[in-house]
Amino acid sequence: MTKPPTLTTDRLLIEPLAMKHWEAYAAAWADQRMTQFISPEPRSRQESWMKFLQGAGMWPVLGYGYLAFCDRISGEYLGLGGLGQFERGIAGLEGHVEAGWAFGYAHWGKGYATEAMSAVLGWADTNLPSPEIRCIIDIENTASMRVGEKLGFELIETCEVTTGPLGLFSRLRK
């Protein structure tokens, strides 16, 4: 069983999801600005609770999962992300580790996603056997597309889902 790591960057503490993150997590996912490229509606508290547990619960089953992204000085919860397997029914994701990230709206545009996911992907490159990680990004989410490019993800196809077109991206271990 893989224990979730604690990682640090210049500005971030990246740590296992815990109850101390719950209220900020729920508030972020209740904000339509944050979910605009992820789902048609903000998440209910109950839906957020299930997703929160899912992100933390993948670690003992898969050896990877989601982590909380917090300000290194204040400890403030900023967002989350990591690696998962969500059984989304998207053929191009089947059998692949999937990267994902989401930040509260107030923390957009500050470079946190690139900083956090660079650390997570560095951990993955060292600790996971798979040389390839994939991700999906709403093609209208230009900011997240830029983050993906900075992280080394390349568009391999566009797929249509119920919420609209998504780009499917691939990144090979460095």
Side-chain angles (χ1 to χ4, degrees):
M1 177 184 331
T2 301
K3 180 181 175 187
T6 297
L7 309 169
T8 56
T9 69
D10 290 344
R11 299 180 297 162
L12 301 173
L13 174 63
I14 301 167
E15 62 185 358
L17 285 166
M19 284 306 297
K20 68 181 181 178
H21 308 120
W22 164 242
E23 291 300 335
Y25 174 98
W29 285 98
D31 184 345
Q32 184 156 8
R33 295 172 299 180
M34 181 174 149
T35 64
Q36 66 184 307
F37 297 112
I38 300 170
S39 71
E41 298 293 326
R43 288 185 183 161
S44 69
R45 191 167 172 86
Q46 181 182 27
E47 186 179 17
S48 285
W49 178 245
M50 299 308 291
K51 292 289 190 178
F52 183 80
L53 294 176
Q54 178 186 45
M58 285 186 274
W59 284 99
V61 176
L62 300 172
Y64 52 86
Y66 268 42
L67 299 160
F69 301 148
C70 302
D71 182 276
R72 189 169 172 179
I73 304 300
S74 70
E76 177 188 6
Y77 173 87
L78 308 173
L80 86 160
L83 307 165
Q85 183 177 334
F86 298 103
E87 298 298 325
R88 298 179 189 278
I90 297 173
L93 289 175
E94 290 177 16
H96 294 281
V97 176
E98 178 185 346
W101 54 88
F103 284 81
Y105 183 76
H107 309 298
W108 287 13
K110 298 177 181 175
Y112 290 135
T114 302
E115 186 174 336
M117 289 305 296
S118 290
V120 169
L121 292 169
W123 176 89
D125 288 346
T126 301
N127 292 280
L128 297 184
S130 176
E132 181 182 15
I133 295 176
R134 293 190 174 183
C135 72
I136 52 173
I137 302 172
D138 183 308
I139 60 170
E140 293 183 11
N141 188 345
T142 56
S144 205
M145 297 270 273
R146 281 193 306 275
V147 169
E149 288 174 13
K150 290 177 189 175
L151 295 170
F153 285 96
E154 295 180 4
L155 181 66
I156 56 175
E157 70 179 72
T158 301
C159 47
E160 195 68 35
V161 296
T162 57
T163 56
L166 294 175
L168 176 64
F169 295 81
S170 173
R171 175 193 176 272
L172 296 176
R173 179 180 292 133
K174 294 185 178 182

